Amino acid sequence: AQTVTQSQPEMSVQEAETVTLSCTYDTSESDYYLFWYKQPPSRQMILVIRQEAYKQQNATENRFSVNFQKAAKSFSLKISDSQLGDAAMYFCAYSQSGGGADGLTFGKGTHLIIQP
Amino acid sequence: GAVVSQHPSWVICKSGTSVKIECRSLDFQATTMFWYRQFPKQSLMLMATSNEGSKATYEQGVEKDKFLINHASLTLSTLTVTSAHPEDSSFYICSASPEGLASYNEQFFGPGTRLTVL
């Protein structure tokens, strides 16, 4: 079974600074997808960024980028120029497919605090 | 963007009663819908996968007789918690994947339903 591990229960960063959230996973598959989701206090899950394992290039979405290390099974999220609105729970997730055919396996989450 | 709604957003019921939660895809047809459970300050756990017109596939450890899932149309899936007990109190979240190339499609999440069993 696949597992996703987030070893940072909580992270704090000053506004406008950069923060990196860690995630490792375990799978025996060669093709899979990885995701970072944001869950603000409203509890609505919001997709932040997605990475296909077959792609060597790291995904980026504006201020959000990932460092995908397939051999190390590591998938960290970097948030640049942190904003107050970035404060939320961040979940790393794994799926065998793009997310549409298979459910997601989530890590335990990292609570991100933005200090003004 | 794709919108998924859930109803109700919050429900309180007495122990022993059954509660139905609806998940609707509002602007797309969903081949596959998923149900997750989230305990306070914890992660989401996949409970089951439902495909329109077929029986749901439950994850190991999830009681299918307690958590009845029906996906009768391409826009509606329901989760019924039967004979609810206080330990069933949780936040239930559904997600839906658009019809088509499901393997490559994103899951769109509903806003969740908070269930409190007294």
Side-chain angles (χ1 to χ4, degrees):
Chain A
Q2 293 80 16
T3 58
V4 177
T5 303
Q6 293 178 251
S7 58
Q8 305 156 316
E10 186 172 283
M11 291 284 284
S12 181
V13 64
Q14 290 288 130
E15 192 176 3
E17 296 294 306
T18 295
V19 63
T20 299
L21 308 184
S22 301
C23 173
T24 59
Y25 59 94
D26 189 28
T27 182
S28 58
E29 304 294 334
S30 58
D31 292 327
Y32 48 88
Y33 295 76
L34 297 165
F35 308 82
W36 278 98
Y37 279 89
K38 171 184 177 181
Q39 188 180 44
S42 68
R43 306 193 74 167
Q44 174 72 56
M45 297 294 285
I46 301 166
L47 177 64
V48 175
I49 200 165
R50 147 187 175 147
Q51 174 80 43
E52 293 87 343
Y54 65 86
K55 290 186 177 179
Q56 291 187 344
Q57 187 173 7
N58 289 323
T60 62
E61 285 289 341
N62 301 312
R63 297 183 295 108
F64 300 87
S65 61
V66 298
N67 184 2
F68 173 50
Q69 301 290 327
K70 191 172 184 179
K73 295 182 181 175
S74 171
F75 182 61
S76 61
L77 174 70
K78 185 172 82 172
I79 305 174
S80 303
D81 186 25
S82 298
Q83 300 176 1
L84 294 177
D86 295 333
M89 283 293 293
Y90 285 81
F91 292 98
C92 179
Y94 168 102
S95 176
Q96 190 58 54
S97 69
D102 300 304
L104 298 167
T105 300
F106 287 91
K108 291 188 174 182
T110 297
H111 181 208
L112 179 63
I113 298 168
I114 309 296
Q115 304 279 5
Chain B
V3 179
V4 176
S5 70
Q6 281 185 243
H7 178 79
S9 57
W10 194 359
V11 57
I12 302 173
C13 69
K14 292 183 179 180
S15 184
T17 61
S18 295
V19 174
K20 181 184 284 188
I21 302 170
E22 293 185 348
C23 175
R24 293 182 184 273
S25 56
L26 298 184
D27 51 4
F28 65 95
Q29 294 189 317
T31 307
T32 307
M33 288 184 168
F34 305 89
W35 287 95
Y36 297 84
R37 182 174 182 176
Q38 185 177 30
F39 288 106
K41 298 187 178 182
Q42 292 191 28
S43 187
L44 284 75
M45 298 292 292
L46 178 66
M47 299 175 65
T49 301
S50 72
N51 291 293
E52 186 266 339
S54 62
K55 289 185 178 181
T57 303
Y58 291 82
E59 294 300 302
Q60 191 173 10
V62 177
E63 300 175 61
K64 55 184 175 183
D65 293 332
K66 165 167 274 295
F67 299 100
L68 300 179
I69 292 172
N70 184 278
H71 192 160
S73 77
L74 285 172
T75 58
L76 174 64
S77 176
T78 59
L79 168 67
T80 301
V81 183
T82 62
S83 187
H85 288 94
E87 58 266 29
D88 298 324
S89 298
S90 190
F91 195 68
Y92 293 88
I93 305 175
C94 74
S95 68
S97 175
E99 186 181 35
L101 293 175
S103 294
Y104 305 98
N105 287 335
E106 178 182 340
Q107 286 186 32
F108 296 95
F109 285 83
T113 296
R114 182 184 303 279
L115 170 63
T116 301
V117 184
L118 302 176

